[in-house]
């Protein structure tokens, strides 16, 4: 800031100093200086990166899912690049949970190799990957598998709002042929109902 100091010399006993600060003060009606306060500009809204990568339709068809959970996934750099291209297969994926340690491992997920990376940096397409979740949640799923005979399967893979890869896993028991037929009948009945509502409108 530009400041100008003017010394007004009267007698040797009285010396007055006046300081003017141009650009940062304002002179009010009663000759008092007030400093301008900086204005707070509104922050730009954070971009939402939510996007579905892949859905395992066979999971809900073959299992009666009773509980779901969002978990993270330990990945390598080439795996993340490959997932962004949509080259991930969840059809045969399942999770093994240790009820004592709470560690959960993901099996049978196929992530294709990244086409623009060198062979020295590539990953194993079907390697076992560790899920990122709280130990208490891992122990809970492990107990459901060990006591209730449930199976933990992967329902879908997606990017969350912060652009991180997430999985939705679910625990449930396998359906028999009769249950699958009932599900098909219920789905067909819902479709007929929705079709009739559209025709009525």
């Amino acid at each position: 800031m530009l400041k100008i100091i003017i010394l007004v010399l009267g007698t040797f006993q009285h010396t007055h100093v006046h300081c003017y600060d141009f650009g940062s003060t304002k002179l009010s009606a009663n000759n008092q200086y007030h400093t301008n306060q900086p204005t707070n500009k509104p922050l730009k809204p954070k971009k939402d990166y939510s996007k579905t990568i892949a859905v395992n339709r066979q999971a809900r068809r073959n299992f009666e899912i009773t509980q779901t959970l969002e978990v993270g996934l330990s990945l390598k750099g080439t795996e993340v690049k490959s997932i962004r291209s949509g080259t991930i297969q969840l059809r045969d994926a399942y999770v093994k949970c240790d009820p004592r340690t709470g560690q959960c491992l993901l099996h049978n997920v196929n992530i294709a190799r990244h086409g623009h990376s060198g062979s020295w940096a590539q990953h194993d397409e079907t390697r076992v990957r560790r899920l990122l979740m709280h130990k208490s949640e891992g122990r809970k799923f492990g107990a459901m598998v060990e006591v209730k005979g449930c199976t933990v399967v992967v329902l879908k893979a997606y990017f969350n709002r912060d652009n991180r890869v997430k999985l939705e896993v679910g625990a449930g028991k396998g359906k028999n042929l009769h249950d699958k037929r009932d599900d098909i009948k219920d789905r067909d009945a819902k479709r007929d109902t929705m079709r009739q509502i559209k025709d009525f409108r």
Side-chain angles (χ1 to χ4, degrees):
M1 294 298 177
L2 178 63
K3 295 184 178 180
I4 300 177
I5 300 178
I6 301 176
L7 300 179
V8 180
L9 302 178
T11 59
F12 290 103
Q13 291 81 7
H14 303 284
T15 302
H16 303 280
V17 179
H18 298 275
C19 179
Y20 299 91
D21 188 356
F22 296 96
S24 63
T25 59
K26 286 184 178 180
L27 185 64
S28 61
N30 54 0
N31 295 331
Q32 293 183 355
Y33 290 94
H34 301 279
T35 303
N36 291 333
Q37 297 295 331
T39 58
N40 295 325
K41 295 182 179 180
L43 298 177
K44 293 183 179 180
K46 194 173 181 180
K47 187 175 180 180
D48 187 359
Y49 292 94
S50 301
K51 178 184 177 182
T52 301
I53 305 169
V55 178
N56 185 5
R57 302 186 184 278
Q58 295 292 326
R60 293 192 181 275
R61 179 182 178 184
N62 298 330
F63 295 91
E64 186 68 35
I65 305 298
T66 57
Q67 187 169 354
T68 61
L69 179 67
E70 179 188 80
V71 299
L73 184 60
S74 179
L75 296 170
K76 296 181 179 179
T78 53
E79 291 174 329
V80 176
K81 293 178 181 179
S82 183
I83 288 175
R84 292 191 186 280
S85 303
T87 55
I88 180 173
Q89 181 61 250
L90 304 175
R91 180 165 183 167
D92 299 323
Y94 66 93
V95 179
K96 282 187 177 181
C97 299
D98 191 333
R100 291 171 295 277
T101 63
Q103 185 180 36
C104 295
L105 300 177
L106 180 64
H107 296 259
N108 282 6
V109 168
N110 190 314
I111 301 177
R113 295 192 173 190
H114 188 244
H116 299 287
S117 299
S119 58
W120 59 271
Q122 291 292 352
H123 58 272
D124 184 3
E125 297 178 351
T126 58
R127 73 181 182 91
V128 177
R129 299 171 176 90
R130 185 169 63 90
L131 295 184
L132 306 178
M133 56 196 301
H134 292 290
K135 289 184 179 180
S136 59
E137 296 170 341
R139 293 190 185 102
K140 184 178 180 180
F141 272 84
M144 292 178 67
V145 173
E146 195 173 60
V147 178
K148 298 182 180 180
C150 296
T151 303
V152 182
V153 294
V154 180
L155 303 178
K156 68 176 180 178
Y158 56 94
F159 288 105
N160 65 356
R161 294 176 60 88
D162 297 327
N163 204 19
R164 297 181 182 274
V165 179
K166 296 291 183 179
L167 297 180
E168 183 183 11
V169 298
K173 293 186 177 182
K175 295 180 181 178
N176 54 35
L177 183 60
H178 180 71
D179 294 334
K180 292 180 182 179
R181 288 176 178 174
D182 290 341
D183 290 342
I184 294 173
K185 289 180 181 179
D186 293 339
R187 185 170 65 248
D188 292 341
K190 289 180 180 179
R191 287 178 180 175
D192 292 338
T193 303
M194 294 301 296
R195 190 180 298 110
Q196 291 175 5
I197 293 174
K198 289 182 179 179
D199 293 341
F200 179 77
R201 290 179 180 176

